[in-house]
Amino acid sequence: MAVIVFYEATPVDTFQLTNGLQGTDHYWEYVSGVITPENINPNAEVISVFVDSVVTQEIMKRMPKLKLIATRSSGVNHIDLDYAKQRNITVVNVPNFGENTVAEHTFALLLMLARKLPDTINSVKDGSYSPAQHIGIDLIGKTIGIIGMGKIGGFMASISKGFQMDVLAYDISPKPDLAEKLGFKYTDMVSLLERSDIVSLHIPLSPESYHLINPKTIQHMKRGVILLNTARGELVDNRALVRALASGHIAGAGLDTIEGEKFLKTSSIIGNLVEKAAAPESYLHTAEAMALLRMKNVVITPHSAYNTIKAISRINTCTTKNIIDFWYGNTPNKVNIPHSSGKLVIVRHGQSEWNALGKWTGTTDVSITSTGIQESIDIGKKIMNIPFDFAYISQQIRTKETLDAIKKGANQPDLNYEETASINERDYGIYTGMRKNDIKKIIGDKEYDLLRRSWDGPVEGGESLKDVYERAVPFYLRIILPRLLHGQNILVVAHGNSIRSLIKYIENISDADIGNLEMIQGCALSYEVNKDGRMKHKEVILMDTTEDNEP
């Protein structure tokens, strides 16, 4: 007999789950709210949660008998899989439960936009309805472009054909038999965007699909297109979408998910404001979410495309079967827990010519010395057992020269890289090129320390550390983190201050404490991170000797 606790249990869940477990000798109880440290049952051997219950290491530690987590969802981002794996706690999910359900919801969003129903309904209620202001469009004869022709995409094609629409599709693995059966045509991505009156997204998130809808791809779309996204919020660049909606390039958007969707909730906004090292991007996501909520040509639903009686029944039936099967040693829906993330390795550039002279370099292009080359080769040897998938460097030549030396030492000569201004060194303004000791003599030790280490102290003609943080961290979250979460190993070669900015976010260091942090040369920091890009594990890889050569 197992002790089972169901969280986020609605009356429908309670009825269906009870029916599914009847006839077993298990004991079960229901909690209507999300799981918290305060409402756990320390004797629980099985817990079942939905997506709003965040199952952290702290929560699992309070349940020493826990053997199984049965999530009533396909996604598992709300569970600390690394700790579950460490504790040998099995995680099972519901892989398929609502392909037609999600497709129907997507089409409901389309119909609402095509006939301007939200604004029409509101105007009727407030007595301001005007037919001329609420003219819709017919769907018959329109072309819908479906990106991702899996099961949901297939149902979308079937429904669209029922409305006598022309259907185009893009998929990395075309299925000619399915196209013939359902009567749609495959095409390339650009052609689909250029020819479609409606674009509907039904693909998983990956480094390649992140911000698939962006300023460049929007330019390929017809003016007046309708965009539908019931897949993953991160497929769409929110700011690009808001601009296109405001200009009329995109006539309407139906969204069951958006990037940063947690900021649709007031509690998440408040939590972010009190965070020690909040991501600058989080404030932008909050603004984007509020803007999208208030636009008349946008319909947002709260990740509820699954929410029908039959789909919930399928979820709960699968969940009870998962629990019963587990007790008999059968786990067909066991989640294969991957490594938490790829490795993020951060290296400061090797000693530069101005480092050797004790000068503040900033954004000045200065090469590294022979000492800098050798120490970078040595660092490469230290990390040669990490097979890197990609590297990012700043626009300063010293990071490129350092990367070349690391590649040589690591015996990875073909490692591809990208330059970005986001991780450029801090601009020291009027102090650029001055020797440290000379600056101290001019402004005094106290002002020098404040200038060198303060969080937001102004620099005449230059940048504060806060300014660097506000360009480096969004780049990390938008570009680097998705690669890490898909298992890629990423090398970043940057500068003392851009690295301090990244560390501040990754290690959640407060504004007051960041002044005590130094990133020395001749070492590498290796991180594994969680889904928010925060540190889960850190390793400091040192050479035999290290030296601080630059502020």
Side-chain angles (χ1 to χ4, degrees):
M1 182 187 80
V3 176
I4 307 167
V5 184
F6 294 95
Y7 291 90
E8 299 178 80
T10 67
V12 171
D13 292 326
T14 300
F15 176 77
Q16 293 176 348
L17 291 166
T18 297
N19 282 344
L21 290 173
Q22 278 183 345
T24 71
D25 61 353
H26 297 307
Y27 165 82
W28 60 92
E29 59 188 43
Y30 298 101
V31 178
S32 60
V34 299
I35 192 169
T36 68
E38 291 71 36
N39 65 12
I40 62 169
N41 182 337
N43 295 313
E45 297 165 88
V46 179
I47 59 170
S48 177
V49 297
F50 197 51
V51 293
D52 285 335
S53 283
V54 181
V55 186
T56 63
Q57 176 176 325
E58 177 192 1
I59 283 175
M60 283 185 267
K61 280 183 175 179
R62 298 191 180 204
M63 292 178 282
K65 299 179 181 179
L66 187 63
K67 297 181 177 68
L68 177 69
I69 300 173
T71 183
R72 303 191 302 280
S73 62
S74 56
V76 292
N77 288 345
H78 51 300
I79 300 169
D80 187 338
L81 296 178
D82 288 335
Y83 185 72
K85 185 176 184 179
Q86 180 183 327
R87 275 271 306 274
N88 199 29
I89 298 169
T90 300
V91 179
V92 290
N93 69 344
V94 182
N96 301 298
F97 57 85
E99 293 86 354
N100 69 294
T101 307
V102 174
E104 290 171 12
H105 186 92
T106 308
F107 225 87
L109 295 175
L110 173 57
L111 289 169
M112 292 179 76
L113 291 164
R115 294 305 177 89
K116 299 185 177 180
L117 291 182
D119 195 41
T120 297
I121 292 168
N122 289 333
S123 66
V124 170
K125 289 180 178 179
D126 64 25
S128 64
Y129 175 73
S130 167
Q133 299 298 317
H134 298 88
I135 299 173
I137 61 170
D138 292 326
L139 295 182
I140 187 170
K142 289 288 190 294
T143 297
I144 184 169
I146 301 173
I147 300 176
M149 194 48 72
K151 292 183 178 179
I152 296 173
F155 275 107
M156 277 295 294
S158 295
I159 297 172
S160 300
K161 296 301 289 186
F163 276 78
Q164 299 182 47
M165 301 174 72
D166 295 323
V167 180
L168 297 175
Y170 171 80
D171 197 286
I172 58 174
S173 301
K175 306 178 186 70
D177 292 345
L178 183 65
E180 183 177 355
K181 176 183 176 182
L182 298 181
F184 66 85
K185 296 179 181 178
Y186 282 108
T187 187
D188 61 87
M189 179 70 74
V190 172
S191 178
L192 181 146
L193 295 175
E194 291 175 344
R195 296 165 58 188
S196 298
D197 302 296
I198 299 105
V199 173
S200 193
L201 306 179
H202 302 284
I203 56 174
L205 181 65
S206 69
E208 293 72 31
S209 64
Y210 179 77
H211 283 188
L212 175 69
I213 304 302
N214 56 57
K216 185 176 180 180
T217 51
I218 288 172
Q219 287 305 309
H220 287 293
M221 294 181 179
K222 287 183 177 181
R223 184 170 182 82
V225 68
I226 291 175
L227 177 68
L228 306 171
N229 184 15
T230 54
R232 291 292 181 267
E234 293 83 359
L235 298 175
V236 179
D237 179 339
N238 286 343
R239 275 173 283 178
L241 175 60
V242 169
R243 286 194 293 267
L245 286 163
S247 70
H249 193 122
I250 294 180
L255 311 169
D256 189 51
T257 177
I258 64 171
E259 185 174 20
E261 63 190 35
K262 68 179 181 180
F263 295 114
L264 293 170
K265 298 179 180 179
T266 302
S267 59
S268 294
I269 296 173
I270 294 172
N272 192 59
L273 289 172
V274 300
E275 181 66 74
K276 284 192 291 186
E281 201 79 347
S282 63
Y283 303 118
L284 293 173
H285 286 328
T286 301
E288 292 160 357
M290 294 302 104
L292 289 168
L293 274 175
R294 286 161 175 75
M295 299 183 88
K296 290 185 177 181
N297 53 347
V298 177
V299 179
I300 295 179
T301 51
H303 226 131
S304 59
Y306 72 93
N307 198 17
T308 67
I309 290 292
K310 281 195 173 182
I312 293 171
S313 176
R314 289 191 288 267
I315 291 170
N316 288 330
T317 298
C318 183
T319 298
T320 54
K321 189 174 187 305
N322 281 341
I323 293 170
I324 294 169
D325 284 351
F326 173 78
W327 235 248
Y328 290 97
N330 184 24
T331 53
N333 294 322
K334 180 179 179 179
V335 175
N336 181 24
I337 300 178
H339 214 260
S340 59
S341 74
K343 288 186 181 294
L344 170 65
V345 177
I346 301 176
V347 177
R348 186 176 174 183
H349 65 80
Q351 182 197 59
S352 74
E353 294 167 350
W354 280 17
N355 290 155
L357 297 173
K359 291 183 177 182
W360 275 7
T361 314
T363 56
T364 305
D365 240 356
V366 177
S367 290
I368 61 176
T369 63
S370 57
T371 298
I373 292 172
Q374 187 57 54
E375 66 188 14
S376 300
I377 291 173
D378 291 342
I379 280 292
K381 292 177 181 178
K382 289 279 189 178
I383 58 176
M384 67 185 305
N385 63 330
I386 303 173
F388 290 105
D389 295 283
F390 204 77
Y392 292 96
I393 62 175
S394 77
Q395 293 175 322
Q396 279 82 59
I397 189 65
R398 54 192 183 274
T399 59
K400 172 64 167 60
E401 293 170 343
T402 299
L403 176 63
D404 289 341
I406 290 173
K407 288 163 64 174
K408 181 178 179 180
N411 194 27
Q412 298 185 43
D414 298 324
L415 176 61
N416 291 321
Y417 69 93
E418 177 182 315
E419 293 183 6
T420 173
S422 299
I423 55 174
N424 280 355
E425 177 57 299
R426 176 184 178 186
D427 186 343
Y428 283 112
I430 63 171
Y431 300 102
T432 300
M434 295 181 66
R435 295 177 185 271
K436 292 185 283 185
N437 289 336
D438 292 339
I439 298 172
K440 285 184 182 181
K441 290 177 182 178
I442 295 170
I443 65 175
D445 289 350
K446 183 177 180 180
E447 287 300 317
Y448 172 80
D449 289 338
L450 185 64
L451 176 68
R452 184 173 184 256
R453 285 290 172 255
S454 71
W455 164 240
D456 55 2
V459 177
E460 185 177 344
E463 294 178 297
S464 66
L465 182 61
K466 181 181 178 183
D467 293 328
V468 180
Y469 182 91
E470 289 177 349
R471 57 174 162 82
V473 174
F475 178 81
Y476 164 67
L477 294 174
R478 281 180 175 267
I479 305 301
I480 297 176
L481 181 59
R483 287 180 174 271
L484 295 172
L485 295 182
H486 282 82
Q488 294 187 6
N489 296 324
I490 303 299
L491 174 63
V492 174
V493 182
H495 308 266
N497 286 291
S498 51
I499 291 174
R500 288 171 67 216
S501 297
L502 293 174
I503 294 172
K504 183 182 191 301
Y505 177 80
I506 293 169
E507 299 188 21
N508 202 16
I509 299 172
S510 69
D511 298 352
D513 291 336
I514 191 60
N516 300 321
L517 177 71
E518 181 60 77
M519 179 59 189
I520 56 179
Q521 288 166 320
C523 79
L525 301 179
S526 176
Y527 291 100
E528 292 174 13
V529 299
N530 64 17
K531 63 183 178 64
D532 296 318
R534 305 283 193 180
M535 176 179 69
K536 291 181 72 71
H537 177 74
K538 175 184 178 181
E539 180 184 2
V540 180
I541 303 169
L542 293 170
M543 287 172 43
D544 295 332
T545 59
T546 57
E547 184 178 357
D548 175 20
N549 288 308
E550 185 178 346

